[in-house]
Amino acid sequence: MGRELIVAGPEFAPSAGFAEPALWTVSVPGAAGSIRQHAGFEQVGGAPHHGFGQDLIGRDRRLIL
């Protein structure tokens, strides 16, 4: 399901007026990171974030269409 959402979002974005789809993610390792990377999302920022009972890094990601 995650792969379908990552592909569908950028396909839908131009028709909805979005020039730069954005994601906010956290630093939990796993397959989701490689899905986002292969889709072309690049990390453009990050900051410490406490969530899910852990100290994490929040990551801002953008896809330039």
Side-chain angles (χ1 to χ4, degrees):
M1 182 169 161
R3 185 180 317 270
E4 286 108 14
L5 288 171
I6 292 295
V7 170
E11 288 176 354
F12 169 77
S15 66
F18 295 101
E20 208 174 270
L23 294 173
W24 181 83
T25 64
V26 294
S27 59
V28 177
S34 65
I35 291 171
R36 291 185 294 263
Q37 185 177 7
H38 288 348
F41 281 87
E42 296 182 21
Q43 184 173 333
V44 295
H49 172 77
H50 184 80
F52 309 106
Q54 302 177 47
D55 291 324
L56 305 166
I57 302 295
R59 296 180 174 162
D60 297 312
R61 300 174 186 273
R62 299 276 188 274
L63 175 65
I64 310 287
L65 298 176

